C-alpha cells in the first residue's frame, strides 16, 4: 500500500548519477489532462504548498516534491547549486509527469521553473510564478536585500541541534498550517540535516543568480503569470520596488503574460492567500484545458 502525506500519495524516484545513490520524494493527487508541478522556494519542502495543492487537486493532477535533504528526500553532500536544484526538478518532471504540464514556482523556485520550461518546451505549457526571486532584479541587489540570510540559516542549524527549530518554524513560516500538514513540516524541517540543506542552498544562491543574470533573461514565451506581494501601495513605491519591476519585466517579455498583486505584504503568498494562488493556477489551466483535453 502506498504511503500517504497531507499532500497526496507518496512515492520516491532514484537518483544514482551523483556522489551517492539517493531518493527524491514526491506526492501526487488529483487527475486531469494537465499536471501542475510545484517548486518551492529556497530551503522549503513540499509543505510550503499545503494550502494550495489540495485546491488545485480538485481540477488538475498535482505533483509536489522535496529537494535533496528536505522533507522526505535523502540528503546529498554535493553543493546545492542552482544547476543541482534544476537537475532534481527535471528528474521529477521527466519521470513523474507524462503529459502537458503547468509549472508553479515560489521565490527561488521561480527561476528553476522558468529554466525547466525552456529545457522541456515539449512538455511545459504554462507557468505561474509566486513572488519569485528573478535574475531580472540583479544578483547584487538581491544579495544586499538578503544580507541577513546567512546569519538566519546558520542560526537554524544551531536551533535544529538543540531541538528548537521545528517549533520556531511552527510559529513563523508555517503558522497558517494545521493538522497533519503542520505536524509533517515541523518534524521534517526541524531536523539538523534539513537545516544544513537549507544553508547549502543559500550559500550557492547568489552565485546561481549571477550566472542566470549573465546568461539571461530566461523567459520562455509561453502563458506566464507573475503574482507579486503587495510591498508597495503608491505608484512611486512601485517604481522603487525592484522585485515588482523584475516581475513586470518578465511579464512584458512574453506574448501571453499576466501580472497580479496579492492583498498582503507576505512573501509566502501561497500560505497567506492560498485562494489567490489556486485561482491563478486554475485560470491558467482552464485556458489550456480545451487544447490538451482531446
Amino acid at each position: 500500500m502506498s504511503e500517504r502525506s497531507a499532500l497526496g500519495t507518496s512515492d520516491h524516484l532514484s537518483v544514482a548519477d551523483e556522489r551517492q545513490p539517493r531518493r527524491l520524494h514526491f506526492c501526487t493527487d488529483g487527475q486531469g489532462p494537465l499536471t501542475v508541478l510545484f517548486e518551492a522556494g529556497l530551503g522549503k519542502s513540499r509543505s510550503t504548498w499545503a494550502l494550495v495543492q489540495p485546491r488545485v487537486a480538485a481540477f488538475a493532477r498535482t505533483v509536489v516534491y522535496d529537494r535533496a535533504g528536505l522533507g522526505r528526500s535523502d540528503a546529498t553532500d554535493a553543493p546545492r547549486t542552482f544547476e543541482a536544484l534544476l537537475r532534481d526538478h527535471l528528474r521529477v518532471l521527466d519521470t513523474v509527469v507524462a503529459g502537458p504540464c503547468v509549472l508553479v514556482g515560489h521565490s527561488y523556485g521561480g527561476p528553476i521553473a522558468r529554466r525547466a520550461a525552456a529545457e522541456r518546451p515539449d512538455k511545459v505549457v504554462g507557468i505561474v510564478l509566486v513572488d519569485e526571486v528573478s535574475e531580472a532584479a540583479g544578483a547584487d541587489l538581491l544579495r544586499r536585500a538578503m544580507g541577513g540570510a546567512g546569519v538566519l540559516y546558520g542560526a537554524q542549524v544551531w536551533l535544529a541541534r538543540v531541538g528548537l527549530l521545528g517549533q520556531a518554524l511552527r510559529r513563523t513560516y508555517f503558522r497558517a498550517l494545521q493538522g497533519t500538514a503542520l505536524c509533517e513540516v515541523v518534524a521534517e524541517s526541524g531536523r539538523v540535516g534539513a537545516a544544513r540543506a537549507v544553508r547549502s542552498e543559500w550559500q550557492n544562491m547568489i552565485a546561481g543568480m549571477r550566472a542566470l543574470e549573465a546568461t539571461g533573461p530566461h523567459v520562455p514565451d509561453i502563458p506566464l503569470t507573475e503574482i507579486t506581494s503587495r510591498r508597495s501601495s503608491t505608484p512611486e513605491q512601485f517604481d522603487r520596488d525592484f522585485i515588482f519591476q523584475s516581475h513586470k519585466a518578465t511579464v512584458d517579455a512574453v506574448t501571453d503574460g499576466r501580472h497580479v498583486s496579492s492583498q498582503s505584504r507576505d512573501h509566502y503568498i501561497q500560505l497567506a492567500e492560498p485562494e489567490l494562488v489556486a485561482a491563478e493556477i486554475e485560470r491558467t489551466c482552464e485556458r489550456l484545458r480545451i487544447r490538451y483535453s482531446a
Side-chain angles (χ1 to χ4, degrees):
M1 182 179 295
S2 298
E3 185 181 1
R4 291 289 297 181
S5 160
L7 278 71
T9 301
S10 289
D11 206 342
H12 293 82
L13 62 91
S14 297
V15 178
D17 61 347
E18 295 187 3
R19 301 185 185 188
Q20 73 271 1
R22 60 184 174 90
R23 300 184 307 161
L24 279 173
H25 171 257
F26 65 91
C27 296
T28 58
D29 202 4
Q31 59 184 347
L34 286 171
T35 296
V36 178
L37 170 58
F38 294 86
E39 181 64 65
L42 188 146
K44 296 298 183 290
S45 69
R46 71 190 186 283
S47 296
T48 195
W49 299 109
L51 299 181
V52 172
Q53 179 270 344
R55 289 173 163 88
V56 177
F59 58 82
R61 181 173 183 258
T62 61
V63 179
V64 292
Y65 81 105
D66 298 316
R67 294 196 294 271
L70 303 175
R72 299 180 184 176
S73 286
D74 294 339
T76 175
D77 59 3
R80 307 313 298 147
T81 64
F82 178 86
E83 292 299 326
L85 305 188
L86 176 62
R87 286 195 297 271
D88 275 356
H89 180 100
L90 291 173
R91 287 179 176 112
V92 176
L93 180 59
D94 292 342
T95 305
V96 185
V97 179
C101 182
V102 173
L103 300 182
V104 180
H106 170 246
S107 194
Y108 194 35
I112 296 173
R114 287 187 282 103
R115 275 285 306 276
E119 294 278 345
R120 301 293 186 268
D122 57 327
K123 183 171 285 190
V124 180
V125 296
I127 305 177
V128 177
L129 303 168
V130 183
D131 213 33
E132 73 159 331
V133 174
S134 171
E135 66 273 16
D140 286 337
L141 273 176
L142 290 170
R143 177 183 57 80
R144 290 196 291 272
M146 300 176 70
V151 174
L152 170 65
Y153 296 129
Q156 287 187 359
V157 174
W158 180 84
L159 286 171
R161 286 174 178 158
V162 298
L164 297 176
L165 179 58
Q167 292 307 311
L169 295 174
R170 177 195 291 268
R171 296 187 180 96
T172 54
Y173 295 112
F174 300 110
R175 60 188 180 275
L177 299 186
Q178 297 178 345
T180 303
L182 178 60
C183 292
E184 287 179 354
V185 74
V186 168
E188 295 166 5
S189 298
R191 297 178 293 106
V192 174
R196 287 174 175 161
V198 175
R199 183 175 60 184
S200 181
E201 288 192 9
W202 161 248
Q203 289 169 338
N204 290 279
M205 176 186 170
I206 297 302
M209 297 305 296
R210 286 199 176 104
L212 289 169
E213 185 179 9
T215 56
H218 299 274
V219 186
D221 194 10
I222 58 177
L224 181 151
T225 296
E226 289 268 14
I227 307 175
T228 302
S229 177
R230 190 178 291 275
R231 283 173 290 268
S232 306
S233 57
T234 66
E236 293 78 13
Q237 289 176 324
F238 280 116
D239 288 342
R240 295 193 298 269
D241 183 347
F242 71 102
I243 296 293
F244 177 92
Q245 294 302 325
S246 71
H247 295 174
K248 183 177 183 299
T250 297
V251 169
D252 290 344
V254 300
T255 304
D256 186 358
R258 175 174 168 82
H259 192 186
V260 300
S261 292
S262 68
Q263 292 300 309
S264 72
R265 297 170 58 89
D266 200 314
H267 177 53
Y268 287 82
I269 304 172
Q270 71 271 39
L271 294 173
E273 298 179 44
E275 65 286 344
L276 169 64
V277 177
E280 289 300 325
I281 297 171
E282 184 171 19
R283 181 182 185 278
T284 297
C285 288
E286 184 61 26
R287 295 182 63 205
L288 295 166
R289 180 183 59 81
I290 296 175
R291 187 185 312 175
Y292 294 102
S293 61

